[in-house]
Amino acid sequence: MTFARPEHSIYTDTLPRMPAWVTSARPEAFEDVAFLSGAALNHLHLVLGREEVPKALLRDRLALRAAEACAGFSGRPERAPELRDAIHLLRPGDLPGPAGETYLAWRRAVERPVSIKALGRALPILELGQIATWLDTGKGAPVTRAAMALDAVLTEAPRAEVPALILADAALAQALGWDHVVPLLAAGLKRTDLRKRGDDLRLACHRAVTASAVEAARLAVDLARRASLLKGVAPKLRAKGAGAAVKIFLTQDAVAPSALPLPDRAARRLCDRLVDLGAVRELTGRDTFRLYGV
């Protein structure tokens, strides 16, 4: 393993914090709302540019939040624990169910750099040409482009909330010059917002982006601290395959011991050891079928 010993507090304490005037403002005028969303996105852009932020892990956790929001939009009861179970405890040949499919779509959308092919992998029900058309619908500033993409999909397919939100976030990422989709819109929008069109939808998207960018920046700082702690304890792990296991924890929201490159018993011991060291958390509260995450 090549992880350095802890200097984590030095680096994570230097991550920029969202200005208080962004989080406390309650603007009503459209131009003020748009200004705040731009400020929040700019700050998140700076945070995402920092090496100590575990970007793949951040995107995976934001994908979970987006899937949770989408489940709510469709009136389904699944929340984060059920969504994690639907994917991470899936047996070969089993189907994840509708909520699990939604979570899978979001996870696939954030895994690879933004491209028509990668989005087609996340949304196999759509043709690549249709994805390209919707993705290029928007013009103008980033949030405007995202709102126009969302508007276009929902106008043609009112029930396609998940594809619409994924493509809107993809349009936002492309407009901002980000390599990957960073899920922001779904967690910030309300169910009633998805019935809006035109300027009303654009205003709702500005508000959603502001709220979600603030939360994503906070999460990035927290995950950077937790990831640094995990890297710091990695040299204490003596199990063969522990280095590869740590890398998995640094990229995935939740991990089942069976997904680690160790024998089953050794994997469970490693997870318990990491919990004892305070480097990961047990996420389920169960005695069996446990999941662990940073």
Side-chain angles (χ1 to χ4, degrees):
M1 291 178 289
T2 59
F3 298 118
R5 288 191 176 273
E7 293 178 345
H8 40 279
S9 61
I10 298 174
Y11 299 112
T12 57
D13 287 349
T14 65
L15 284 171
R17 308 288 171 155
M18 187 73 71
W21 55 266
V22 175
T23 58
S24 61
R26 296 292 181 269
E28 295 298 330
F30 182 90
E31 58 269 24
D32 294 332
V33 175
F35 175 79
L36 283 183
S37 73
L41 282 172
N42 181 68
H43 179 85
L44 180 59
H45 182 81
L46 294 175
V47 171
L48 292 176
R50 298 294 290 264
E51 184 178 351
E52 58 267 47
V53 174
K55 299 173 187 62
L57 174 57
L58 174 65
R59 294 194 303 269
D60 202 38
R61 190 148 296 174
L62 291 174
L64 175 65
R65 293 186 177 184
E68 191 176 25
C70 289
F73 294 151
S74 62
R76 301 195 63 85
E78 290 90 348
R79 293 299 177 261
E82 291 80 17
L83 291 170
R84 283 173 172 145
D85 284 355
I87 298 304
H88 296 290
L89 301 183
L90 201 64
R91 296 178 179 178
D94 287 350
L95 298 175
E101 289 286 0
T102 294
Y103 185 21
L104 270 178
W106 278 106
R107 294 193 78 205
R108 288 170 178 163
V110 305
E111 279 176 349
R112 301 181 180 185
V114 182
S115 69
I116 302 302
K117 184 177 179 180
L119 291 170
R121 178 175 173 269
L123 302 168
I125 61 171
L126 299 181
E127 295 181 358
L128 296 184
Q130 182 64 79
I131 291 173
T133 298
W134 278 332
L135 201 59
D136 285 341
T137 297
K139 305 295 180 185
V143 177
T144 298
R145 288 174 60 177
M148 291 176 71
L150 182 63
D151 196 334
V153 179
L154 291 177
T155 297
E156 292 189 42
R159 289 188 163 184
E161 291 98 344
V162 174
L165 289 162
I166 287 176
L167 292 179
D169 272 325
L172 181 66
Q174 285 189 327
L176 290 166
W178 292 348
D179 292 335
H180 291 75
V181 172
V182 178
L184 295 176
L185 284 165
L189 289 168
K190 300 175 183 177
R191 189 174 185 177
T192 53
D193 290 332
L194 298 180
R195 295 196 289 269
K196 297 175 180 177
R197 296 293 179 268
D199 288 344
D200 290 338
L201 179 59
R202 190 153 56 104
L203 180 62
C205 286
H206 277 295
R207 294 189 187 280
V209 162
T210 302
S212 291
V214 168
E215 191 55 38
R218 287 175 181 160
L219 180 60
V221 172
D222 181 57
L223 290 179
R225 178 182 60 81
R226 293 177 180 275
S228 189
L229 177 60
L230 176 56
K231 293 176 185 178
V233 304
K236 301 177 182 178
L237 306 174
R238 307 198 182 281
K240 186 177 181 180
V246 167
K247 290 180 181 178
I248 291 173
F249 278 111
L250 290 172
T251 58
Q252 296 189 22
D253 161 73
V255 179
S258 59
L260 298 178
L262 291 88
D264 184 60
R265 184 174 296 180
R268 285 186 277 113
R269 282 201 305 266
L270 175 64
C271 290
D272 291 338
R273 172 70 170 149
L274 288 171
V275 171
D276 291 340
L277 291 169
V280 303
R281 298 169 294 159
E282 200 287 309
L283 301 172
T284 69
R286 297 188 295 246
D287 293 330
T288 58
F289 300 106
R290 289 180 158 189
L291 298 174
Y292 299 83
V294 171

